[in-house]
Amino acid sequence: MSTKPSRPTDDAINAEIAALTELQPRVRARSFFGDDHREAIGAQIAVLAGRMSMDEVHDTYGEDAFEDPIEFDQYVLDEAIAARDWMAGDLAPGFVSPSENWASLANG
């Protein structure tokens, strides 16, 4: 029987926002594939700070949120969804918080 992770408290969410804010300028700006790590972290911060629902995440970062399709970034949407899933306690066992996920890409 698997157990679902518990939903983080408001204090834990606020601590996660602080951790992401501290990590954002220290994380490598782009991946080998050109994905914008810092923009993705910014989206995660916004999702957590706004306590966004899944609909709000899609309204803000989904394809329909942009007039110009070239502005849409699937990577940013995926990371925003990951933050929302963590906040809602919907991550599968073994998955870590967004800040723990980014820590390996941080300098210093």
Side-chain angles (χ1 to χ4, degrees):
M1 172 192 243
S2 66
T3 59
K4 181 178 171 183
S6 62
R7 183 177 177 171
T9 64
D10 274 343
D11 287 343
I13 294 169
N14 290 335
E16 185 65 13
I17 293 167
L20 288 168
T21 300
E22 190 271 326
L23 277 170
Q24 189 177 26
R26 296 181 27 231
V27 166
R28 185 179 325 132
R30 294 197 175 271
S31 74
F32 176 79
F33 302 103
D35 297 319
D36 190 333
H37 294 314
R38 293 179 183 165
E39 183 178 351
I41 294 171
Q44 289 182 324
I45 292 167
V47 167
L48 297 176
R51 306 304 198 263
M52 290 185 187
S53 68
M54 188 61 81
D55 286 342
E56 290 171 320
V57 170
H58 281 279
D59 288 347
T60 305
Y61 300 104
E63 284 185 82
D64 293 339
F66 300 95
E67 288 183 29
D68 184 353
I70 202 157
E71 292 178 3
F72 169 70
D73 189 330
Q74 184 67 49
Y75 180 73
V76 172
L77 174 61
D78 290 345
E79 293 301 326
I81 290 170
R84 187 262 165 214
D85 287 348
W86 174 81
M87 179 179 64
D90 288 340
L91 289 180
F95 281 81
V96 296
S97 70
S99 63
E100 290 176 88
N101 192 46
W102 291 111
S104 67
L105 296 178
N107 297 325

